[in-house]
């Protein structure tokens, strides 16, 4: 076998642990493959000292599989960026994020979008339908995905169903795999609509925002009608999870962390557990609020405070059995849709964008559209956007990601925010060691004193 060396994309736990057999072990996490390995103290020490343990063939193969051991002459940054470029330029898969309405029935204080009433113009609707149908029937793609977005997509429920019927029919005729998901505030969903969306639109995944326990959520995510939504959403989820006809529908419950709700997250998590949401079809994500070209500095936690609070919340979720991501479980060769012309976002204005944070944001609608859906060639992918050369920027060290050991699981986080002068590194960069400790606790490892 050629000469090997330890990968530089590896993070070793600061602490040693023992298992029930009394072995002294250390967690070593491969950020190239997003896989943690539990190694003996001796094997981990060899990696730390720059040597690959080769005495045990099974261990060596495992190290190679998760890329903790790599060829000595490999340029690892080049390898990662080559994978990213390949993912960005792959063929056969198209993803469309569609906004069936420009309106939202909520008025969240941190939202950077501008919502106005009005239906999707017929010429835009027809052009969108033709564009997605062509991607399905052209013979160039094996899979097409539609992500419903907004505004609040359920405000355009009839349009969503009409377009979905055309997409599903086209996929069934051609044998192309079709899948769909929705980002929604959840307030307009009903059990009947979930059934209709599953059957007629093939929506199988929902991302719904709950910003804390009932009184906090209803203060933060204000319905323009003056009503409340927390109880309605959670009651719907309870019924949906018990409905066998919806057994393949999953829910991500997102919380936007701000200074207003951070003190209440533990209460929220306990409430979610009491409601029965420690469930294999429910995933919890707690994300710091960030700018959509608007100023959220007054409601954002500072990095150190967020890092500390996150560990407490992760321990609470682990203890309560709520599903969440302690550490990334998949590598991220494609940072986001903005770096590939296979993905596009079509606004209600008819503008085509590369980034999901541009539609309905006035400065973006006015200045950053890449094309018009009514004018672009139906067979053409969207034009390259401002972030298309993202991997070149990393290689050229325009951003500091090239030297970061977390590049494989982060991908650079957010090209748009970097371009706006922010440092959008994921929060786990500030508490990775503590997250490894939570992972160890979950697997009942005992820290060595």
């Amino acid at each position: 076998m050629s000469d090997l060396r330890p990968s530089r994309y590896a993070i070793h736990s600061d602490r040693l642990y023992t298992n029930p057999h009394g072995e002294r072990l250390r967690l070593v996490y491969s950020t190239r493959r997003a896989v943690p390995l539990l190694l003996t103290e001796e094997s981990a020490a060899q990696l730390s000292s720059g040597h690959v343990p080769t005495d045990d063939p099974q261990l060596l193969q495992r190290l190679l599989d998760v890329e903790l051991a790599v060829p000595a002459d490999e340029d690892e940054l080049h390898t990662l960026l080559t994978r990213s470029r390949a993912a960005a330029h792959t063929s056969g898969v198209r993803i469309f994020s569609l906004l069936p309405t420009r309106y939202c029935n909520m008025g969240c204080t941190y939202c950077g979008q501008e919502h106005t009433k009005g239906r999707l113009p017929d010429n835009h609707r027809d052009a969108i339908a033709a564009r997605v149908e062509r991607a399905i029937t052209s013979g160039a793609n094996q899979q097409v995905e539609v992500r419903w977005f907004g505004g609040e997509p359920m405000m355009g429920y009839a349009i969503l169903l009409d377009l979905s019927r055309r997409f599903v029919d086209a996929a069934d005729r051609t044998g192309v795999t079709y899948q769909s998901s929705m980002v929604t505030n959840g307030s307009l969903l009903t059990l009947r609509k979930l059934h209709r969306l599953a059957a007629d639109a093939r929506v199988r995944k929902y991302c719904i925002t709950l910003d804390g326990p009932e009184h906090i959520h209803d203060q933060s995510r204000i319905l323009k009608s003056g009503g409340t939504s927390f109880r309605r959403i959670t009651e719907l989820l309870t019924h949906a999870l018990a409905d066998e006809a919806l057994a393949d529908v999953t829910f991500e419950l997102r919380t936007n962390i701000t200074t207003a709700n951070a003190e209440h997250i533990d209460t929220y998590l306990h409430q979610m557990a009491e409601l029965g949401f420690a469930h294999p079809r429910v995933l919890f994500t707690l994300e710091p609020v960030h700018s959509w070209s608007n100023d959220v500095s007054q409601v954002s936690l500072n990095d150190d405070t967020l890092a500390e609070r996150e560990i407490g919340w992760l321990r609470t979720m682990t203890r309560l059995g709520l599903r969440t991501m302690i550490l990334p479980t998949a590598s991220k060769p494609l940072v986001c849709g903005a770096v590939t012309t296979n993905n596009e976002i079509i606004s209600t204005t008819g503008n085509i964008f590369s980034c999901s944070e541009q539609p309905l944001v006035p400065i973006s609608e006015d200045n950053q559209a890449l094309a018009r859906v009514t004018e672009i060639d139906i067979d053409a992918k969207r034009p390259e956007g401002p972030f298309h050369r993202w991997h070149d920027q990393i290689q050229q060290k325009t951003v500091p990601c090239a030297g970061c050991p977390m590049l494989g699981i982060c991908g650079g986080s957010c090209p748009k925010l970097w371009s706006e002068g922010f440092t959008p590194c994921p929060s786990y960069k500030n508490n990775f060691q503590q997250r490894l400790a939570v992972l160890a606790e979950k697997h009942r490892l005992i820290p060595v004193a």
Side-chain angles (χ1 to χ4, degrees), residues 14 23 54 63 66 86 98 120 140 150 168 175 195 241 259 261-262 287 289 323 326 373 379 382:
D14 290 341
E23 298 173 293
T54 56
L63 294 174
V66 303
L98 304 181
L120 192 68
V168 169
H195 280 276
L241 293 172
T259 53
N261 67 2
E287 296 287 345
V289 68
R323 286 184 61 237
I326 298 173
V373 72
D379 285 309
R382 67 157 173 84

Side-chain angles (χ1 to χ4, degrees), residues 216-248:
I216 298 298
H217 170 88
D218 288 336
Q219 290 171 12
S220 172
R221 298 181 63 78
I222 304 164
L223 285 174
K224 293 173 181 175
S225 65
T228 58
S229 62
F230 181 92
R231 191 165 298 181
R232 178 185 180 89
I233 293 167
T234 54
E235 288 178 354
L236 171 68
L237 288 171
T238 298
H239 292 305
L241 293 172
D243 193 327
E244 291 185 4
L246 298 173
D248 60 347

Side-chain angles (χ1 to χ4, degrees), residues 289-297 300 357 390 399-400 412-425:
V289 68
H290 70 268
S291 169
W292 282 37
S293 301
N294 60 322
D295 183 7
V296 294
S297 58
S300 302
E357 297 187 5
W390 174 242
V399 291
S413 183
C414 180
K416 176 177 176 287
L417 288 177
W418 281 112
S419 74
E420 293 172 348
F422 295 96
T423 302
C425 298

